[in-house]
Structure formats: structure tokens, C-alpha cells
């Protein structure tokens, strides 16, 4: 299967962000990708999360969700993108990844579990955590994808739970805040989650200056199979589930695990 990573430089103009997603999805489909994944906060983003996020939040079937569904259906490709979803608390939104199938149907919605209350940020001031910690997975053409968002990558048990739920590929849709050693940590953590779980891990990031860029696809041995630099763009790469079987046969850590 071929999947595409769409690295964006999203801002507060939701319509403009959606136009870029549409253009990148078209390019991904033309390149033979079955799925195109976009970053956290793909449809609305700022350098600092503030009180505007709850005000722009919409339900999954609102205008933003309907347009993402249309994009997927129009190009015949699965689309995963971060959006700001309304929550029961009007003062806080959900940071949500929505996955739409090539027919436009909603395949899955993942609300971020681990909010970024670190590095001087307080995401939880304006964003509500997911009401459940259950792993969120969905299937496209027989390949199972697991969803996680940005700061989640620092929590190995979440990736492990997605692996236990049958994921072949983790989509880590992110807006990784810049800082000392942050790009190195981003790359290292993605590779570590891939190695630990014998999975493919696609880290799809916002571009500078809001984030660090460097979207990449790590293979189950931790090798980088494809990567983008600092500029916005879209890049497709192939994943082979057969490679997972080979790696897991050589390193059967899943069956050897002894803790609960």
C-alpha cells in the first residue's frame, strides 16, 4: 500500500487550509496513495493555543468535517486530518483526528489523550482530554491504522495499546513545538515507537515556524523510509505488511512480553 504524508503550514484561515488539503489529496491520489494523512490542527492552527479554539470548534458533521469528507470522496482516497471539534464544555474543544474513507464515510475519530501541558504551554486550558483512553484504529484496504497525536508519542504504552489492537501503521499527526533538541527527539521517538512495536510509524507534522516539519515514515526496524524537510509539501511512500511479519518473526517481542 502507498500512503502519503501532507506537511502543512496551517493558519487561522480554515478555508485556505482546506484548499491546501484538497490540493495535496489530489496529488497523493495521482501518485497512487490509498491514504493521505495531515497534521494535528490541520484546519485551524496558531503558534499558541488560545480562547479562539473553542469558538471555532465544530461537530464532526459540521462544515469542516463535511468538506474533509467531500475531499476524500472526490479523490477516492482515505483522508486523515486534525480538526477542532466541539465538546460538551463550551470553554474547551477536543483536539481531534478524523479519518474519512474513500467513499467519504467517517471511519474513526480520535480525541487527543495526552494534552501538551509542557514547555510553557497549557493546551488543557482550551482543550478537553479524550473522555476515553481506548485505542482508536481503522482499516483501509486490509491495512489497520492507529491514531495518536503529537505529545502522545512520548507515552509508549499508547503506541503499544494500538499495536495490541492490531495496528500495522501508527499515524502520529502532530504540531511538534520547536525548542532545544526537539527535532532530534521527534525523530528518535517516532523510530522508537516503530522498533518497540514492529510497526510502521508515520509522523505527519506542521511546518515551521509553528512546528518543526520533518514529517517522516519510519519502518519497523526504525529506518527512515521517506521524509520531508522544513517546507510544506506532500510525499507518498510504500508500506508492506509482509515486512511486519518478517520483523516480528525475527524479534517476537509481542509474544515474549511478561508484564501486564
Amino acid at each position: 500500500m502507498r500512503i502519503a504524508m501532507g506537511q502543512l503550514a496551517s493558519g487561522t484561515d480554515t478555508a485556505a487550509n482546506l484548499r491546501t488539503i484538497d490540493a495535496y489529496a489530489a496529488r497523493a491520489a495521482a501518485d497512487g496513495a490509498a491514504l493521505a494523512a495531515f497534521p494535528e490542527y490541520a484546519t485551524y492552527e496558531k503558534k499558541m493555543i488560545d480562547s479562539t479554539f473553542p469558538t471555532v470548534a465544530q461537530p464532526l458533521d459540521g462544515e469542516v468535517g463535511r468538506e474533509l469528507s467531500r475531499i476524500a470522496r472526490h479523490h477516492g482516497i482515505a483522508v486523515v486530518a486534525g480538526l477542532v471539534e466541539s465538546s460538551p464544555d463550551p470553554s474547551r474543544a477536543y483536539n481531534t483526528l478524523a479519518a474519512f474513507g474513500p467513499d467519504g464515510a467517517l471511519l474513526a475519530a480520535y480525541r487527543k489523550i495526552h494534552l501538551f501541558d509542557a514547555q510553557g504551554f497549557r493546551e488543557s486550558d482550551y482543550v478537553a482530554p479524550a473522555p476515553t483512553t481506548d485505542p482508536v484504529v481503522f482499516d483501509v484496504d486490509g491495512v489497520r491504522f492507529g491514531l495518536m497525536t503529537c505529545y502522545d508519542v512520548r507515552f509508549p504504552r499508547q503506541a503499544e495499546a494500538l499495536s495490541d489492537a492490531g495496528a500495522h501503521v501508527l499515524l502520529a499527526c502532530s504540531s511538534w513545538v520547536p525548542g532545544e533538541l526537539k527535532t532530534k527527539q521527534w525523530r528518535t521517538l517516532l523510530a522508537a515507537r516503530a522498533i518497540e512495536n514492529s510497526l510502521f510509524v508515520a509522523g505527519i507534522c506542521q511546518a515551521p515556524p509553528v512546528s518543526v516539519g520533518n514529517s517522516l515514515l519510519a519502518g519497523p526496524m526504525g529506518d527512515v523510509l521517506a521524509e520531508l524537510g522544513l517546507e510544506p509539501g506532500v510525499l507518498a511512500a510504500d508500506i508492506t505488511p509482509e515486512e511486519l511479519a518478517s520483523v516480528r518473526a525475527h524479534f517476537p517481542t509481542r509474544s515474549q512480553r511478561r508484564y501486564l
Side-chain angles (χ1 to χ4, degrees), residues 225-236:
L225 304 176
E227 61 183 314
L228 289 155
L230 300 179
E231 298 300 320
V234 61
L235 178 65

Side-chain angles (χ1 to χ4, degrees), residues 161-193:
L162 290 164
S163 175
D164 287 348
H168 304 108
V169 184
L170 301 187
L171 301 177
C173 303
S174 305
S175 184
W176 198 258
V177 174
E180 183 180 5
L181 296 176
K182 289 296 294 293
T183 298
K184 181 177 182 180
Q185 291 174 2
W186 163 250
R187 299 175 68 88
T188 300
L189 289 166
L190 294 175
R193 300 296 85 84

Side-chain angles (χ1 to χ4, degrees), residues 13-255:
D13 187 337
T14 297
N17 297 334
L18 287 166
R19 286 193 296 271
T20 303
I21 291 170
D22 192 4
Y24 283 9
R27 288 168 55 183
D31 201 16
L35 176 144
F38 297 92
E40 173 185 27
Y41 293 129
T43 61
Y44 185 85
E45 175 67 304
K46 285 185 172 182
K47 187 170 180 60
M48 296 288 289
I49 296 170
D50 60 19
S51 60
T52 64
F53 282 70
T55 66
V56 303
Q58 298 181 10
L60 289 172
D61 60 356
E63 290 183 11
V64 171
R66 291 198 302 271
E67 177 60 10
L68 291 171
S69 171
R70 185 203 66 79
I71 290 169
R73 185 173 60 255
H74 179 71
H75 299 296
I77 187 172
V79 170
V80 178
L83 52 80
V84 187
E85 182 192 1
S86 51
S87 82
D89 180 354
S91 67
R92 296 198 295 174
Y94 287 130
N95 179 349
T96 299
L97 300 179
F100 296 90
D103 61 355
L106 181 68
L107 298 176
Y110 167 67
R111 292 155 184 137
K112 189 176 182 182
I113 292 172
H114 299 102
L115 301 181
F116 191 61
D117 288 358
Q119 207 178 334
F121 284 70
R122 288 280 306 172
E123 187 174 24
S124 64
D125 285 348
Y126 304 105
V127 174
T132 174
T133 58
D134 293 342
V136 176
V137 297
F138 66 94
D139 296 340
V140 175
D141 293 346
V143 175
R144 179 159 290 185
F145 293 86
L147 294 176
M148 59 196 315
T149 305
C150 202
Y151 199 43
D152 290 333
V153 176
R154 292 185 180 271
F155 297 86
R157 290 289 184 91
Q158 184 169 349
E160 187 176 89
L162 290 164
S163 175
D164 287 348
H168 304 108
V169 184
L170 301 187
L171 301 177
C173 303
S174 305
S175 184
W176 198 258
V177 174
E180 183 180 5
L181 296 176
K182 289 296 294 293
T183 298
K184 181 177 182 180
Q185 291 174 2
W186 163 250
R187 299 175 68 88
T188 300
L189 289 166
L190 294 175
R193 300 296 85 84
I195 294 166
E196 290 164 349
N197 298 288
S198 300
L199 292 169
F200 292 96
V201 177
I204 306 98
C205 207
Q206 293 279 0
V210 168
S211 186
V212 301
N214 283 273
S215 298
L216 64 87
L217 174 65
M221 293 291 284
D223 50 330
V224 175
L225 304 176
E227 61 183 314
L228 289 155
L230 300 179
E231 298 300 320
V234 61
L235 178 65
D238 293 321
I239 60 168
T240 54
E242 296 80 10
E243 184 178 351
L244 296 186
S246 175
V247 171
R248 290 173 178 179
H250 282 87
F251 298 98
T253 55
R254 292 151 57 90
S255 63

